[in-house]
Amino acid sequence: MSTTETKRGKDTANDAVREFPWWLLAVIAFLVVMAVVIVTQPDFNRAFMFIKGNPGSLEDLGRGGFWAFIGQGITITIAITLIAFALALLFGLLAGLGRINRHFVPRNIAIFYIEFVRGVPTLVLIFTVAYVLVPGLAGLLGIPTGSINSAVRAIVALAVIYGAFLAEIFRAGIESIPRGQMEAARSLGMTYGQAMRHIILPQAIRNTLPALGNDFIAMLKDSSLVSVLAVRDITQQARLYAGSTFRFNESYLVLTFLYLSMTLALSLLLRVLERRLGKNV
Amino acid sequence: MYKSDDIIVVDGLHKYFGHIEAVKGVDLRVRRGEVVIIVGPSGSGKSTVLRCINHLEVPTHGAVYIDGVHLEDKKTDINKVRAEVGMVFQQFNLFPHLTVLENVTIAQRMVRKRSREEAQEIAMEQLRHVGIPEKADAFPRQLSGGQQQRVAIARALAMNPKIMLFDEPTSALDPEMIKEVLDVMLLLAREGMTMVVVTHEMGFARAAADRVVFMDEGRVVEVATPTELFNNPQHERTKLFLSKILGH
């Protein structure tokens, strides 16, 4: 009797050990150790201040507000990610709707775009969009190419690339809605557009939120690729710092620390968001 | 082509799905205020005919006229026609992200261009009509199947349609909920609504139908009043079908 009880007790204890998110503990431990090192070690502190971007000292919180305190490097990384993702949502929605369109012209344009982007490496596409597509479009619109800075090129490049991935997410989301929903809406006299906008998309987008969240985090990480365009995001800052001081350990550990804290915070935030939205379904 | 009192005219309807011919030449005329019930074994093309009447399926050959309007004509505004033709589905197809009231008002506002107040007033009137005004603020998933189907009927009625189509409206319901839906449909029939109903409920057909259409293998085999068709079927296939479903 008592043996079975202790055994059962041991099993639940084992389960608790097995189910505990040790990985999260390890990640947080890494972040905490790094934070302590950055605060206490002058070499790390200098690297940190440079990478996150000047001015970025505590006094700037009073003078220049939140973004000045956060620093230019981090601000650029976040701004590029946010703007490019918003644009990518638009491209993705348009391409996703084109992909499922009955008419062969929009469908073929959408598939061409999606397959083209999927067939070329991300880094190569960044160069191609920034140095070929953007100047080409600017030329067509009569805008002087020189006036388009590299941050804008980077944003367009990321948006074009992620638009193609988001298109497939939107398509899958729309196709996950039973056909009867569209039929019911159309049988009431709604147009295809009205039914799509008011009946299908609200349900589809709710279904795609987890996937969209994942891609947002992926884009935050891929925004580091735009450093090849000499955009001064945190990756570019780290490369500059490492190149001029030869302090590779400090530079890249700090850079890793910055990305990991941002992605971890984001993914925890998304989990909370999903749970809250999930309640209302 | 059609007489003015025929509100629905189906003329030589053929429908292929790939190589399979689901409907093999169906003619059907429905007068204003008439209740026509289509019965037949599964796969006989009943639902396909019904779905061609509001252009959810496009006929391969043949024509459908609603109130004189040719549905397959490229110049026809199909949305305008559909606003006049309510449809109730086997799977209810309520909009799960909207409340019952929103389900019943959304098309009124978008298609009929009614104000919010007017749409809500009409919606409440129709929810009372089907007997569940108290569920206006509920979401579809909080309702039983029978209640959902009655909301679906109210949603269609709120558009003030001239015709109501029912595609096996009780087939997805638990037995104890079938009656509440059939009662609403019977009420509509008595109020003079033009109805075309695909169903397996022979008791309902007897009580509500002006005419019963028996279909088999994509063709209309026999059309008669319910009394004639159930008591004195003329064709062997009709007799066989009826003996199978009324055999007890």
Side-chain angles (χ1 to χ4, degrees):
Chain A
M1 180 90 187
S2 65
T3 46
T4 54
E5 253 169 32
T6 39
K7 210 172 186 183
R8 200 178 299 146
K10 211 172 158 192
D11 278 353
T12 44
N14 271 339
D15 281 350
V17 169
R18 254 176 270 147
E19 295 304 317
F20 188 81
W22 295 104
W23 64 270
L24 185 62
L25 196 68
V27 170
I28 291 171
F30 170 78
L31 293 179
V32 170
V33 169
M34 278 303 300
V36 170
V37 167
I38 287 167
V39 172
T40 56
Q41 305 284 311
D43 287 343
F44 276 89
N45 192 262
R46 271 192 294 276
F48 176 76
M49 294 311 280
F50 185 88
I51 292 167
K52 88 185 182 71
N54 293 321
S57 64
L58 256 178
E59 296 88 73
D60 291 313
L61 191 57
R63 242 181 295 137
F66 178 72
W67 293 109
F69 168 65
I70 286 291
Q72 214 174 26
I74 296 181
T75 306
I76 286 175
T77 290
I78 291 175
I80 284 182
T81 306
L82 280 176
I83 299 169
F85 197 75
L87 263 180
L89 284 173
L90 183 71
F91 292 171
L93 189 58
L94 288 175
L97 287 171
R99 180 82 174 71
I100 55 164
N101 202 294
R102 259 184 327 165
H103 204 286
F104 74 97
V105 175
R107 194 174 64 238
N108 274 282
I109 293 173
I111 296 175
F112 169 79
Y113 164 53
I114 294 164
E115 294 301 326
F116 193 102
V117 169
R118 289 212 301 193
V120 181
T122 310
L123 187 57
V124 176
L125 268 175
I126 285 176
F127 284 125
T128 312
V129 173
Y131 294 124
V132 182
L133 186 69
V134 170
L137 283 176
L140 281 178
L141 298 170
I143 304 166
T145 309
S147 71
I148 302 169
N149 69 30
S150 53
V152 171
R153 293 169 195 240
I155 286 168
V156 174
L158 283 176
V160 165
I161 293 162
Y162 270 76
F165 296 126
L166 296 187
E168 289 296 84
I169 291 177
F170 281 125
R171 180 181 67 92
I174 291 166
E175 284 178 347
S176 74
I177 305 302
R179 218 170 52 135
Q181 291 288 308
M182 179 57 93
E183 289 184 348
R186 296 305 305 273
S187 79
L188 291 163
M190 290 168 132
T191 63
Y192 178 84
Q194 287 173 332
M196 191 48 90
R197 188 167 149 225
H198 296 279
I199 304 302
I200 306 299
L201 282 180
Q203 299 181 56
I205 287 173
R206 188 171 282 182
N207 288 353
T208 56
L209 278 181
L212 291 181
N214 280 340
D215 268 32
F216 183 71
I217 291 174
M219 185 185 255
L220 177 69
K221 292 187 291 174
D222 277 356
S223 74
S224 67
L225 290 170
V226 304
S227 61
V228 299
L229 302 178
V231 175
R232 296 191 70 166
D233 73 325
I234 50 177
T235 303
Q236 177 68 0
Q237 293 285 97
R239 288 170 57 189
L240 288 175
Y241 190 76
S244 61
T245 61
F246 299 105
R247 296 206 171 270
F248 295 102
N249 288 350
E250 289 83 347
S251 303
Y252 292 120
L253 276 172
V254 164
L255 185 61
T256 303
F257 164 79
L258 283 172
Y259 278 115
L260 196 56
S261 1
M262 287 193 282
T263 53
L264 187 72
L266 262 178
S267 70
L268 293 179
L269 187 76
L270 284 170
R271 246 176 248 196
V272 173
L273 259 176
E274 269 165 37
R275 208 165 293 168
R276 191 165 295 175
L277 277 166
K279 272 184 200 151
N280 294 330
V281 175
Chain B
M1 195 101 242
Y2 55 90
K3 291 189 309 232
S4 64
D5 55 343
D6 286 334
I7 192 166
I8 303 173
V9 175
V10 176
D11 203 20
L13 179 69
H14 289 257
K15 176 67 183 179
Y16 284 85
F17 293 109
H19 293 294
I20 296 158
E21 191 175 14
V23 178
K24 304 169 182 170
V26 164
D27 298 298
L28 179 71
R29 273 146 201 267
V30 179
R31 292 187 302 275
R32 248 169 250 281
E34 197 179 17
V35 176
V36 171
I37 294 187
I38 307 177
V39 300
S42 56
S44 59
K46 325 180 280 291
S47 288
T48 307
V49 170
L50 195 73
R51 289 162 59 83
C52 284
I53 295 178
N54 70 351
H55 210 65
L56 280 181
E57 299 291 352
V58 182
T60 313
H61 302 295
V64 178
Y65 299 85
I66 301 295
D67 223 357
V69 178
H70 184 193
L71 297 195
E72 293 77 27
D73 189 331
K74 284 228 173 352
K75 278 171 279 176
T76 298
D77 181 355
I78 192 64
N79 299 313
K80 218 168 146 190
V81 178
R82 279 176 177 153
E84 309 293 335
V85 183
M87 179 135 183
V88 175
F89 299 86
Q90 184 176 347
Q91 299 296 338
F92 329 136
N93 295 344
L94 292 183
F95 308 132
H97 62 301
L98 303 178
T99 65
V100 164
L101 189 66
E102 289 165 341
N103 263 277
V104 185
T105 52
I106 186 165
Q108 292 190 65
R109 301 199 54 202
M110 243 159 245
V111 181
R112 292 285 193 219
K113 309 286 182 206
R114 289 174 184 155
S115 70
R116 179 189 294 271
E117 293 71 31
E118 191 189 359
Q120 288 184 347
E121 203 171 299
I122 292 168
M124 288 312 296
E125 190 184 308
Q126 291 304 340
L127 287 173
R128 278 192 291 276
H129 198 171
V130 300
I132 38 173
E134 72 280 5
K135 296 292 185 189
D137 295 321
F139 280 91
R141 74 195 134 85
Q142 297 165 321
L143 305 184
S144 72
Q147 290 172 329
Q148 288 194 46
Q149 194 59 299
R150 285 189 283 153
V151 172
I153 294 172
R155 176 175 71 178
L157 288 175
M159 299 294 288
N160 306 109
K162 295 177 190 156
I163 301 166
M164 285 284 285
L165 308 176
F166 293 85
D167 190 2
E168 304 202 25
T170 57
S171 296
L173 293 175
D174 291 334
E176 73 269 23
M177 292 169 189
I178 291 176
K179 189 174 174 296
E180 66 185 63
V181 172
L182 292 180
D183 284 346
V184 169
M185 291 169 62
L186 204 55
L187 176 69
L188 282 182
R190 301 233 160 98
E191 289 167 356
M193 175 63 76
T194 307
M195 292 164 61
V196 181
V197 184
V198 170
T199 185
H200 297 291
E201 298 293 333
M202 296 304 150
F204 173 75
R206 239 182 239 279
D210 294 307
R211 282 188 296 155
V212 179
V213 175
F214 173 66
M215 280 187 69
D216 193 20
E217 294 181 351
R219 287 193 180 86
V220 173
V221 176
E222 191 166 349
V223 184
T225 65
T227 322
E228 283 170 46
L229 192 102
F230 291 126
N231 297 349
N232 189 20
Q234 297 300 304
H235 290 75
E236 276 311 310
R237 278 192 284 175
T238 320
K239 285 177 194 167
L240 189 67
F241 174 72
L242 290 174
S243 73
K244 276 182 189 160
I245 58 164
L246 302 172
H248 306 282

